[in-house]
PDB file of all heavy atoms in Angstrom:
ATOM      1  N   LEU A  14     -12.560  -6.214 -23.817  1.00 73.00           N
ATOM      2  CA  LEU A  14     -13.240  -5.798 -22.586  1.00 73.00           C
ATOM      3  C   LEU A  14     -12.393  -4.867 -21.725  1.00 73.00           C
ATOM      4  O   LEU A  14     -12.919  -4.112 -20.927  1.00 73.00           O
ATOM      5  CB  LEU A  14     -13.621  -7.016 -21.748  1.00 73.00           C
ATOM      6  CG  LEU A  14     -14.770  -7.859 -22.267  1.00 73.00           C
ATOM      7  CD1 LEU A  14     -14.977  -9.058 -21.354  1.00 73.00           C
ATOM      8  CD2 LEU A  14     -16.046  -7.046 -22.363  1.00 73.00           C
ATOM      9  N   SER A  15     -11.105  -4.944 -21.857  1.00 71.00           N
ATOM     10  CA  SER A  15     -10.208  -4.208 -20.977  1.00 71.00           C
ATOM     11  C   SER A  15      -9.376  -3.203 -21.762  1.00 71.00           C
ATOM     12  O   SER A  15      -8.934  -3.480 -22.864  1.00 71.00           O
ATOM     13  CB  SER A  15      -9.266  -5.194 -20.277  1.00 71.00           C
ATOM     14  OG  SER A  15      -8.333  -4.507 -19.490  1.00 71.00           O
ATOM     15  N   TRP A  16      -9.161  -2.053 -21.192  1.00 69.00           N
ATOM     16  CA  TRP A  16      -8.285  -1.045 -21.805  1.00 69.00           C
ATOM     17  C   TRP A  16      -6.856  -1.343 -21.385  1.00 69.00           C
ATOM     18  O   TRP A  16      -6.241  -0.586 -20.649  1.00 69.00           O
ATOM     19  CB  TRP A  16      -8.665   0.343 -21.351  1.00 69.00           C
ATOM     20  CG  TRP A  16      -9.932   0.866 -21.926  1.00 69.00           C
ATOM     21  CD1 TRP A  16     -10.928   0.145 -22.506  1.00 69.00           C
ATOM     22  CD2 TRP A  16     -10.341   2.219 -21.978  1.00 69.00           C
ATOM     23  NE1 TRP A  16     -11.933   0.969 -22.903  1.00 69.00           N
ATOM     24  CE2 TRP A  16     -11.606   2.253 -22.587  1.00 69.00           C
ATOM     25  CE3 TRP A  16      -9.776   3.414 -21.548  1.00 69.00           C
ATOM     26  CZ2 TRP A  16     -12.296   3.434 -22.795  1.00 69.00           C
ATOM     27  CZ3 TRP A  16     -10.470   4.586 -21.748  1.00 69.00           C
ATOM     28  CH2 TRP A  16     -11.718   4.601 -22.380  1.00 69.00           C
ATOM     29  N   VAL A  17      -6.336  -2.460 -21.840  1.00 73.00           N
ATOM     30  CA  VAL A  17      -4.965  -2.797 -21.493  1.00 73.00           C
ATOM     31  C   VAL A  17      -4.024  -1.820 -22.171  1.00 73.00           C
ATOM     32  O   VAL A  17      -4.355  -1.211 -23.178  1.00 73.00           O
ATOM     33  CB  VAL A  17      -4.587  -4.244 -21.890  1.00 73.00           C
ATOM     34  CG1 VAL A  17      -5.447  -5.235 -21.151  1.00 73.00           C
ATOM     35  CG2 VAL A  17      -4.677  -4.462 -23.374  1.00 73.00           C
ATOM     36  N   SER A  18      -2.859  -1.692 -21.606  1.00 71.00           N
ATOM     37  CA  SER A  18      -1.912  -0.723 -22.141  1.00 71.00           C
ATOM     38  C   SER A  18      -1.204  -1.222 -23.379  1.00 71.00           C
ATOM     39  O   SER A  18      -0.851  -0.443 -24.256  1.00 71.00           O
ATOM     40  CB  SER A  18      -0.885  -0.349 -21.081  1.00 71.00           C
ATOM     41  OG  SER A  18      -0.139  -1.488 -20.697  1.00 71.00           O
ATOM     42  N   ALA A  19      -1.005  -2.548 -23.474  1.00 85.00           N
ATOM     43  CA  ALA A  19      -0.233  -3.072 -24.597  1.00 85.00           C
ATOM     44  C   ALA A  19      -0.368  -4.590 -24.657  1.00 85.00           C
ATOM     45  O   ALA A  19      -0.873  -5.222 -23.736  1.00 85.00           O
ATOM     46  CB  ALA A  19       1.234  -2.697 -24.442  1.00 85.00           C
ATOM     47  N   VAL A  20       0.133  -5.132 -25.749  1.00 91.00           N
ATOM     48  CA  VAL A  20       0.247  -6.575 -25.917  1.00 91.00           C
ATOM     49  C   VAL A  20       1.711  -6.853 -26.233  1.00 91.00           C
ATOM     50  O   VAL A  20       2.322  -6.156 -27.039  1.00 91.00           O
ATOM     51  CB  VAL A  20      -0.644  -7.086 -27.078  1.00 91.00           C
ATOM     52  CG1 VAL A  20      -0.471  -8.584 -27.264  1.00 91.00           C
ATOM     53  CG2 VAL A  20      -2.094  -6.748 -26.825  1.00 91.00           C
ATOM     54  N   GLU A  21       2.259  -7.859 -25.569  1.00 94.00           N
ATOM     55  CA  GLU A  21       3.635  -8.263 -25.831  1.00 94.00           C
ATOM     56  C   GLU A  21       3.588  -9.529 -26.682  1.00 94.00           C
ATOM     57  O   GLU A  21       3.057 -10.551 -26.256  1.00 94.00           O
ATOM     58  CB  GLU A  21       4.355  -8.523 -24.512  1.00 94.00           C
ATOM     59  CG  GLU A  21       5.826  -8.772 -24.651  1.00 94.00           C
ATOM     60  CD  GLU A  21       6.475  -8.949 -23.293  1.00 94.00           C
ATOM     61  OE1 GLU A  21       6.412  -8.022 -22.467  1.00 94.00           O
ATOM     62  OE2 GLU A  21       7.045 -10.036 -23.066  1.00 94.00           O
ATOM     63  N   VAL A  22       4.101  -9.427 -27.900  1.00 96.00           N
ATOM     64  CA  VAL A  22       4.067 -10.534 -28.847  1.00 96.00           C
ATOM     65  C   VAL A  22       5.491 -10.998 -29.106  1.00 96.00           C
ATOM     66  O   VAL A  22       6.290 -10.245 -29.673  1.00 96.00           O
ATOM     67  CB  VAL A  22       3.394 -10.108 -30.170  1.00 96.00           C
ATOM     68  CG1 VAL A  22       3.359 -11.276 -31.140  1.00 96.00           C
ATOM     69  CG2 VAL A  22       2.002  -9.555 -29.921  1.00 96.00           C
ATOM     70  N   ASP A  23       5.789 -12.203 -28.659  1.00 96.00           N
ATOM     71  CA  ASP A  23       7.144 -12.748 -28.809  1.00 96.00           C
ATOM     72  C   ASP A  23       8.205 -11.745 -28.352  1.00 96.00           C
ATOM     73  O   ASP A  23       9.223 -11.547 -29.013  1.00 96.00           O
ATOM     74  CB  ASP A  23       7.401 -13.184 -30.253  1.00 96.00           C
ATOM     75  CG  ASP A  23       6.604 -14.408 -30.654  1.00 96.00           C
ATOM     76  OD1 ASP A  23       6.188 -15.163 -29.745  1.00 96.00           O
ATOM     77  OD2 ASP A  23       6.401 -14.618 -31.861  1.00 96.00           O
ATOM     78  N   GLY A  24       7.930 -11.076 -27.229  1.00 92.00           N
ATOM     79  CA  GLY A  24       8.886 -10.134 -26.652  1.00 92.00           C
ATOM     80  C   GLY A  24       8.809  -8.717 -27.188  1.00 92.00           C
ATOM     81  O   GLY A  24       9.444  -7.819 -26.654  1.00 92.00           O
ATOM     82  N   GLN A  25       8.008  -8.481 -28.220  1.00 94.00           N
ATOM     83  CA  GLN A  25       7.881  -7.135 -28.798  1.00 94.00           C
ATOM     84  C   GLN A  25       6.588  -6.504 -28.305  1.00 94.00           C
ATOM     85  O   GLN A  25       5.517  -7.095 -28.383  1.00 94.00           O
ATOM     86  CB  GLN A  25       7.873  -7.210 -30.323  1.00 94.00           C
ATOM     87  CG  GLN A  25       7.749  -5.869 -30.984  1.00 94.00           C
ATOM     88  CD  GLN A  25       7.741  -5.969 -32.503  1.00 94.00           C
ATOM     89  OE1 GLN A  25       7.926  -7.043 -33.075  1.00 94.00           O
ATOM     90  NE2 GLN A  25       7.539  -4.858 -33.155  1.00 94.00           N
ATOM     91  N   LEU A  26       6.683  -5.271 -27.820  1.00 91.00           N
ATOM     92  CA  LEU A  26       5.535  -4.557 -27.288  1.00 91.00           C
ATOM     93  C   LEU A  26       4.750  -3.893 -28.408  1.00 91.00           C
ATOM     94  O   LEU A  26       5.315  -3.186 -29.241  1.00 91.00           O
ATOM     95  CB  LEU A  26       6.014  -3.505 -26.285  1.00 91.00           C
ATOM     96  CG  LEU A  26       5.036  -3.098 -25.211  1.00 91.00           C
ATOM     97  CD1 LEU A  26       4.624  -4.268 -24.356  1.00 91.00           C
ATOM     98  CD2 LEU A  26       5.630  -2.002 -24.358  1.00 91.00           C
ATOM     99  N   ILE A  27       3.444  -4.113 -28.425  1.00 89.00           N
ATOM    100  CA  ILE A  27       2.554  -3.501 -29.408  1.00 89.00           C
ATOM    101  C   ILE A  27       1.499  -2.712 -28.646  1.00 89.00           C
ATOM    102  O   ILE A  27       0.843  -3.260 -27.763  1.00 89.00           O
ATOM    103  CB  ILE A  27       1.880  -4.572 -30.292  1.00 89.00           C
ATOM    104  CG1 ILE A  27       2.924  -5.338 -31.086  1.00 89.00           C
ATOM    105  CG2 ILE A  27       0.835  -3.943 -31.213  1.00 89.00           C
ATOM    106  CD1 ILE A  27       2.379  -6.534 -31.833  1.00 89.00           C
ATOM    107  N   GLN A  28       1.366  -1.453 -28.988  1.00 84.00           N
ATOM    108  CA  GLN A  28       0.337  -0.618 -28.373  1.00 84.00           C
ATOM    109  C   GLN A  28      -0.652  -0.209 -29.455  1.00 84.00           C
ATOM    110  O   GLN A  28      -0.402   0.725 -30.208  1.00 84.00           O
ATOM    111  CB  GLN A  28       0.964   0.594 -27.685  1.00 84.00           C
ATOM    112  CG  GLN A  28       1.764   0.212 -26.455  1.00 84.00           C
ATOM    113  CD  GLN A  28       2.336   1.396 -25.718  1.00 84.00           C
ATOM    114  OE1 GLN A  28       3.370   1.913 -26.098  1.00 84.00           O
ATOM    115  NE2 GLN A  28       1.644   1.809 -24.675  1.00 84.00           N
ATOM    116  N   ASP A  29      -1.774  -0.929 -29.531  1.00 78.00           N
ATOM    117  CA  ASP A  29      -2.826  -0.628 -30.504  1.00 78.00           C
ATOM    118  C   ASP A  29      -3.497   0.703 -30.202  1.00 78.00           C
ATOM    119  O   ASP A  29      -3.896   1.419 -31.103  1.00 78.00           O
ATOM    120  CB  ASP A  29      -3.902  -1.718 -30.482  1.00 78.00           C
ATOM    121  CG  ASP A  29      -3.712  -2.776 -31.538  1.00 78.00           C
ATOM    122  OD1 ASP A  29      -2.807  -2.630 -32.374  1.00 78.00           O
ATOM    123  OD2 ASP A  29      -4.466  -3.760 -31.517  1.00 78.00           O
ATOM    124  N   GLU A  30      -3.652   0.961 -28.935  1.00 76.00           N
ATOM    125  CA  GLU A  30      -4.351   2.164 -28.488  1.00 76.00           C
ATOM    126  C   GLU A  30      -3.363   3.143 -27.858  1.00 76.00           C
ATOM    127  O   GLU A  30      -2.460   2.735 -27.133  1.00 76.00           O
ATOM    128  CB  GLU A  30      -5.401   1.811 -27.432  1.00 76.00           C
ATOM    129  CG  GLU A  30      -6.549   0.987 -27.957  1.00 76.00           C
ATOM    130  CD  GLU A  30      -7.474   1.785 -28.845  1.00 76.00           C
ATOM    131  OE1 GLU A  30      -7.664   2.991 -28.589  1.00 76.00           O
ATOM    132  OE2 GLU A  30      -8.001   1.204 -29.808  1.00 76.00           O
ATOM    133  N   PRO A  31      -3.545   4.432 -28.118  1.00 79.00           N
ATOM    134  CA  PRO A  31      -2.694   5.407 -27.434  1.00 79.00           C
ATOM    135  C   PRO A  31      -3.044   5.461 -25.951  1.00 79.00           C
ATOM    136  O   PRO A  31      -4.145   5.070 -25.558  1.00 79.00           O
ATOM    137  CB  PRO A  31      -3.043   6.729 -28.128  1.00 79.00           C
ATOM    138  CG  PRO A  31      -4.430   6.528 -28.642  1.00 79.00           C
ATOM    139  CD  PRO A  31      -4.538   5.058 -28.983  1.00 79.00           C
ATOM    140  N   GLU A  32      -2.123   5.907 -25.155  1.00 80.00           N
ATOM    141  CA  GLU A  32      -2.414   6.060 -23.733  1.00 80.00           C
ATOM    142  C   GLU A  32      -3.391   7.215 -23.562  1.00 80.00           C
ATOM    143  O   GLU A  32      -3.217   8.282 -24.142  1.00 80.00           O
ATOM    144  CB  GLU A  32      -1.120   6.292 -22.956  1.00 80.00           C
ATOM    145  CG  GLU A  32      -0.235   5.058 -22.950  1.00 80.00           C
ATOM    146  CD  GLU A  32       0.985   5.179 -22.061  1.00 80.00           C
ATOM    147  OE1 GLU A  32       1.167   6.231 -21.414  1.00 80.00           O
ATOM    148  OE2 GLU A  32       1.755   4.210 -22.010  1.00 80.00           O
ATOM    149  N   HIS A  33      -4.440   6.974 -22.798  1.00 78.00           N
ATOM    150  CA  HIS A  33      -5.492   7.960 -22.586  1.00 78.00           C
ATOM    151  C   HIS A  33      -5.140   8.847 -21.395  1.00 78.00           C
ATOM    152  O   HIS A  33      -4.732   8.344 -20.343  1.00 78.00           O
ATOM    153  CB  HIS A  33      -6.831   7.261 -22.356  1.00 78.00           C
ATOM    154  CG  HIS A  33      -7.232   6.371 -23.503  1.00 78.00           C
ATOM    155  ND1 HIS A  33      -7.858   6.857 -24.620  1.00 78.00           N
ATOM    156  CD2 HIS A  33      -7.070   5.041 -23.704  1.00 78.00           C
ATOM    157  CE1 HIS A  33      -8.079   5.864 -25.467  1.00 78.00           C
ATOM    158  NE2 HIS A  33      -7.605   4.748 -24.935  1.00 78.00           N
ATOM    159  N   SER A  34      -5.332  10.123 -21.565  1.00 82.00           N
ATOM    160  CA  SER A  34      -4.926  11.077 -20.529  1.00 82.00           C
ATOM    161  C   SER A  34      -5.728  10.944 -19.235  1.00 82.00           C
ATOM    162  O   SER A  34      -5.280  11.379 -18.186  1.00 82.00           O
ATOM    163  CB  SER A  34      -5.036  12.505 -21.062  1.00 82.00           C
ATOM    164  OG  SER A  34      -6.376  12.793 -21.421  1.00 82.00           O
ATOM    165  N   VAL A  35      -6.896  10.331 -19.290  1.00 81.00           N
ATOM    166  CA  VAL A  35      -7.713  10.191 -18.079  1.00 81.00           C
ATOM    167  C   VAL A  35      -7.283   9.015 -17.209  1.00 81.00           C
ATOM    168  O   VAL A  35      -7.765   8.867 -16.094  1.00 81.00           O
ATOM    169  CB  VAL A  35      -9.213  10.052 -18.421  1.00 81.00           C
ATOM    170  CG1 VAL A  35      -9.734  11.292 -19.086  1.00 81.00           C
ATOM    171  CG2 VAL A  35      -9.467   8.828 -19.257  1.00 81.00           C
ATOM    172  N   LEU A  36      -6.389   8.175 -17.712  1.00 80.00           N
ATOM    173  CA  LEU A  36      -5.930   7.007 -16.957  1.00 80.00           C
ATOM    174  C   LEU A  36      -4.485   7.194 -16.512  1.00 80.00           C
ATOM    175  O   LEU A  36      -3.718   7.886 -17.164  1.00 80.00           O
ATOM    176  CB  LEU A  36      -6.035   5.741 -17.818  1.00 80.00           C
ATOM    177  CG  LEU A  36      -7.429   5.375 -18.308  1.00 80.00           C
ATOM    178  CD1 LEU A  36      -7.356   4.193 -19.259  1.00 80.00           C
ATOM    179  CD2 LEU A  36      -8.359   5.073 -17.153  1.00 80.00           C
ATOM    180  N   ARG A  37      -4.146   6.558 -15.420  1.00 84.00           N
ATOM    181  CA  ARG A  37      -2.758   6.588 -14.934  1.00 84.00           C
ATOM    182  C   ARG A  37      -2.074   5.289 -15.349  1.00 84.00           C
ATOM    183  O   ARG A  37      -2.539   4.198 -15.036  1.00 84.00           O
ATOM    184  CB  ARG A  37      -2.722   6.715 -13.423  1.00 84.00           C
ATOM    185  CG  ARG A  37      -3.196   8.049 -12.952  1.00 84.00           C
ATOM    186  CD  ARG A  37      -2.973   8.168 -11.469  1.00 84.00           C
ATOM    187  NE  ARG A  37      -3.428   9.478 -11.033  1.00 84.00           N
ATOM    188  CZ  ARG A  37      -3.669   9.780  -9.800  1.00 84.00           C
ATOM    189  NH1 ARG A  37      -3.496   8.883  -8.860  1.00 84.00           N
ATOM    190  NH2 ARG A  37      -4.071  10.983  -9.477  1.00 84.00           N
ATOM    191  N   TYR A  38      -0.958   5.436 -16.026  1.00 84.00           N
ATOM    192  CA  TYR A  38      -0.202   4.288 -16.512  1.00 84.00           C
ATOM    193  C   TYR A  38       1.101   4.169 -15.731  1.00 84.00           C
ATOM    194  O   TYR A  38       1.871   5.126 -15.691  1.00 84.00           O
ATOM    195  CB  TYR A  38       0.140   4.451 -17.996  1.00 84.00           C
ATOM    196  CG  TYR A  38      -1.057   4.440 -18.908  1.00 84.00           C
ATOM    197  CD1 TYR A  38      -1.807   5.583 -19.123  1.00 84.00           C
ATOM    198  CD2 TYR A  38      -1.437   3.269 -19.561  1.00 84.00           C
ATOM    199  CE1 TYR A  38      -2.908   5.567 -19.971  1.00 84.00           C
ATOM    200  CE2 TYR A  38      -2.526   3.242 -20.410  1.00 84.00           C
ATOM    201  CZ  TYR A  38      -3.264   4.398 -20.606  1.00 84.00           C
ATOM    202  OH  TYR A  38      -4.346   4.374 -21.440  1.00 84.00           O
ATOM    203  N   PRO A  39       1.362   3.022 -15.141  1.00 87.00           N
ATOM    204  CA  PRO A  39       2.670   2.833 -14.512  1.00 87.00           C
ATOM    205  C   PRO A  39       3.737   2.745 -15.603  1.00 87.00           C
ATOM    206  O   PRO A  39       3.415   2.482 -16.765  1.00 87.00           O
ATOM    207  CB  PRO A  39       2.526   1.513 -13.766  1.00 87.00           C
ATOM    208  CG  PRO A  39       1.296   0.861 -14.258  1.00 87.00           C
ATOM    209  CD  PRO A  39       0.483   1.882 -14.989  1.00 87.00           C
ATOM    210  N   PRO A  40       4.996   2.933 -15.253  1.00 86.00           N
ATOM    211  CA  PRO A  40       6.060   2.750 -16.248  1.00 86.00           C
ATOM    212  C   PRO A  40       5.967   1.343 -16.846  1.00 86.00           C
ATOM    213  O   PRO A  40       5.590   0.381 -16.163  1.00 86.00           O
ATOM    214  CB  PRO A  40       7.349   2.925 -15.447  1.00 86.00           C
ATOM    215  CG  PRO A  40       6.940   3.697 -14.232  1.00 86.00           C
ATOM    216  CD  PRO A  40       5.523   3.314 -13.943  1.00 86.00           C
ATOM    217  N   LEU A  41       6.308   1.196 -18.116  1.00 83.00           N
ATOM    218  CA  LEU A  41       6.173  -0.094 -18.814  1.00 83.00           C
ATOM    219  C   LEU A  41       6.774  -1.278 -18.061  1.00 83.00           C
ATOM    220  O   LEU A  41       6.135  -2.326 -17.962  1.00 83.00           O
ATOM    221  CB  LEU A  41       6.760  -0.008 -20.220  1.00 83.00           C
ATOM    222  CG  LEU A  41       5.794   0.503 -21.285  1.00 83.00           C
ATOM    223  CD1 LEU A  41       6.520   0.754 -22.599  1.00 83.00           C
ATOM    224  CD2 LEU A  41       4.657  -0.466 -21.489  1.00 83.00           C
ATOM    225  N   PRO A  42       7.985  -1.161 -17.505  1.00 85.00           N
ATOM    226  CA  PRO A  42       8.544  -2.325 -16.805  1.00 85.00           C
ATOM    227  C   PRO A  42       7.744  -2.758 -15.577  1.00 85.00           C
ATOM    228  O   PRO A  42       7.837  -3.897 -15.142  1.00 85.00           O
ATOM    229  CB  PRO A  42       9.947  -1.871 -16.398  1.00 85.00           C
ATOM    230  CG  PRO A  42      10.250  -0.698 -17.263  1.00 85.00           C
ATOM    231  CD  PRO A  42       8.942  -0.066 -17.600  1.00 85.00           C
ATOM    232  N   GLU A  43       6.925  -1.856 -15.030  1.00 89.00           N
ATOM    233  CA  GLU A  43       6.155  -2.162 -13.822  1.00 89.00           C
ATOM    234  C   GLU A  43       4.755  -2.681 -14.118  1.00 89.00           C
ATOM    235  O   GLU A  43       4.032  -3.059 -13.207  1.00 89.00           O
ATOM    236  CB  GLU A  43       6.054  -0.912 -12.942  1.00 89.00           C
ATOM    237  CG  GLU A  43       7.383  -0.465 -12.393  1.00 89.00           C
ATOM    238  CD  GLU A  43       7.281   0.833 -11.617  1.00 89.00           C
ATOM    239  OE1 GLU A  43       6.168   1.207 -11.194  1.00 89.00           O
ATOM    240  OE2 GLU A  43       8.323   1.487 -11.441  1.00 89.00           O
ATOM    241  N   ARG A  44       4.369  -2.705 -15.373  1.00 88.00           N
ATOM    242  CA  ARG A  44       3.030  -3.172 -15.713  1.00 88.00           C
ATOM    243  C   ARG A  44       2.955  -4.690 -15.592  1.00 88.00           C
ATOM    244  O   ARG A  44       3.894  -5.410 -15.903  1.00 88.00           O
ATOM    245  CB  ARG A  44       2.643  -2.715 -17.118  1.00 88.00           C
ATOM    246  CG  ARG A  44       2.538  -1.201 -17.171  1.00 88.00           C
ATOM    247  CD  ARG A  44       2.151  -0.674 -18.513  1.00 88.00           C
ATOM    248  NE  ARG A  44       2.378   0.774 -18.529  1.00 88.00           N
ATOM    249  CZ  ARG A  44       2.194   1.530 -19.580  1.00 88.00           C
ATOM    250  NH1 ARG A  44       1.770   1.011 -20.721  1.00 88.00           N
ATOM    251  NH2 ARG A  44       2.428   2.827 -19.506  1.00 88.00           N
ATOM    252  N   LYS A  45       1.813  -5.160 -15.125  1.00 90.00           N
ATOM    253  CA  LYS A  45       1.606  -6.586 -14.872  1.00 90.00           C
ATOM    254  C   LYS A  45       1.431  -7.330 -16.194  1.00 90.00           C
ATOM    255  O   LYS A  45       0.587  -6.988 -17.003  1.00 90.00           O
ATOM    256  CB  LYS A  45       0.369  -6.763 -14.002  1.00 90.00           C
ATOM    257  CG  LYS A  45       0.110  -8.172 -13.581  1.00 90.00           C
ATOM    258  CD  LYS A  45      -1.080  -8.215 -12.640  1.00 90.00           C
ATOM    259  CE  LYS A  45      -1.301  -9.611 -12.141  1.00 90.00           C
ATOM    260  NZ  LYS A  45      -2.387  -9.650 -11.172  1.00 90.00           N
ATOM    261  N   ARG A  46       2.242  -8.347 -16.397  1.00 91.00           N
ATOM    262  CA  ARG A  46       2.157  -9.194 -17.590  1.00 91.00           C
ATOM    263  C   ARG A  46       1.158 -10.316 -17.329  1.00 91.00           C
ATOM    264  O   ARG A  46       1.237 -10.994 -16.306  1.00 91.00           O
ATOM    265  CB  ARG A  46       3.506  -9.815 -17.920  1.00 91.00           C
ATOM    266  CG  ARG A  46       4.458  -9.097 -18.842  1.00 91.00           C
ATOM    267  CD  ARG A  46       4.515  -7.659 -18.729  1.00 91.00           C
ATOM    268  NE  ARG A  46       5.444  -7.074 -19.724  1.00 91.00           N
ATOM    269  CZ  ARG A  46       5.781  -5.825 -19.709  1.00 91.00           C
ATOM    270  NH1 ARG A  46       5.297  -5.015 -18.791  1.00 91.00           N
ATOM    271  NH2 ARG A  46       6.588  -5.344 -20.625  1.00 91.00           N
ATOM    272  N   VAL A  47       0.227 -10.503 -18.267  1.00 90.00           N
ATOM    273  CA  VAL A  47      -0.762 -11.566 -18.171  1.00 90.00           C
ATOM    274  C   VAL A  47      -0.577 -12.463 -19.390  1.00 90.00           C
ATOM    275  O   VAL A  47      -0.800 -12.034 -20.517  1.00 90.00           O
ATOM    276  CB  VAL A  47      -2.195 -10.999 -18.121  1.00 90.00           C
ATOM    277  CG1 VAL A  47      -3.215 -12.124 -18.091  1.00 90.00           C
ATOM    278  CG2 VAL A  47      -2.368 -10.078 -16.925  1.00 90.00           C
ATOM    279  N   ILE A  48      -0.140 -13.681 -19.152  1.00 93.00           N
ATOM    280  CA  ILE A  48       0.130 -14.629 -20.232  1.00 93.00           C
ATOM    281  C   ILE A  48      -1.172 -15.300 -20.660  1.00 93.00           C
ATOM    282  O   ILE A  48      -1.885 -15.862 -19.824  1.00 93.00           O
ATOM    283  CB  ILE A  48       1.159 -15.683 -19.801  1.00 93.00           C
ATOM    284  CG1 ILE A  48       2.475 -15.007 -19.407  1.00 93.00           C
ATOM    285  CG2 ILE A  48       1.375 -16.719 -20.904  1.00 93.00           C
ATOM    286  CD1 ILE A  48       3.450 -15.912 -18.715  1.00 93.00           C
ATOM    287  N   ILE A  49      -1.461 -15.235 -21.941  1.00 94.00           N
ATOM    288  CA  ILE A  49      -2.632 -15.916 -22.501  1.00 94.00           C
ATOM    289  C   ILE A  49      -2.098 -16.961 -23.472  1.00 94.00           C
ATOM    290  O   ILE A  49      -1.574 -16.627 -24.530  1.00 94.00           O
ATOM    291  CB  ILE A  49      -3.574 -14.927 -23.212  1.00 94.00           C
ATOM    292  CG1 ILE A  49      -4.096 -13.878 -22.213  1.00 94.00           C
ATOM    293  CG2 ILE A  49      -4.722 -15.663 -23.877  1.00 94.00           C
ATOM    294  CD1 ILE A  49      -4.980 -12.819 -22.827  1.00 94.00           C
ATOM    295  N   ASP A  50      -2.233 -18.235 -23.066  1.00 93.00           N
ATOM    296  CA  ASP A  50      -1.685 -19.309 -23.903  1.00 93.00           C
ATOM    297  C   ASP A  50      -2.658 -20.463 -24.108  1.00 93.00           C
ATOM    298  O   ASP A  50      -2.297 -21.507 -24.648  1.00 93.00           O
ATOM    299  CB  ASP A  50      -0.368 -19.824 -23.327  1.00 93.00           C
ATOM    300  CG  ASP A  50      -0.523 -20.480 -21.971  1.00 93.00           C
ATOM    301  OD1 ASP A  50      -1.669 -20.551 -21.457  1.00 93.00           O
ATOM    302  OD2 ASP A  50       0.484 -20.932 -21.415  1.00 93.00           O
ATOM    303  N   GLY A  51      -3.890 -20.276 -23.651  1.00 90.00           N
ATOM    304  CA  GLY A  51      -4.894 -21.319 -23.843  1.00 90.00           C
ATOM    305  C   GLY A  51      -4.946 -22.357 -22.756  1.00 90.00           C
ATOM    306  O   GLY A  51      -5.784 -23.242 -22.776  1.00 90.00           O
ATOM    307  N   THR A  52      -4.039 -22.288 -21.802  1.00 86.00           N
ATOM    308  CA  THR A  52      -4.039 -23.243 -20.693  1.00 86.00           C
ATOM    309  C   THR A  52      -4.552 -22.599 -19.407  1.00 86.00           C
ATOM    310  O   THR A  52      -4.512 -23.212 -18.361  1.00 86.00           O
ATOM    311  CB  THR A  52      -2.620 -23.802 -20.438  1.00 86.00           C
ATOM    312  OG1 THR A  52      -1.756 -22.732 -20.067  1.00 86.00           O
ATOM    313  CG2 THR A  52      -2.094 -24.505 -21.681  1.00 86.00           C
TER     314      THR A  52
END
């Protein structure tokens, strides 16, 4: 549902999708981490 910039898997960054030129991306360290763990 969301055009997230990346997924962090066990500390490793995975970018399935390239960054789209129509969107503004903050620097990677400034991007908000959202933990999905089932809880």
Side-chain angles (χ1 to χ4, degrees):
L14 287 177
S15 176
W16 288 18
V17 298
S18 62
V20 178
E21 188 177 300
V22 180
D23 290 338
Q25 180 180 355
L26 206 60
I27 298 172
Q28 291 183 278
D29 264 354
E30 293 288 326
E32 292 187 1
H33 302 277
S34 61
V35 296
L36 300 174
R37 291 187 179 163
Y38 294 83
L41 274 171
E43 294 175 19
R44 295 181 193 177
K45 185 176 184 176
R46 270 38 182 189
V47 177
I48 300 168
I49 299 177
D50 64 0
T52 62

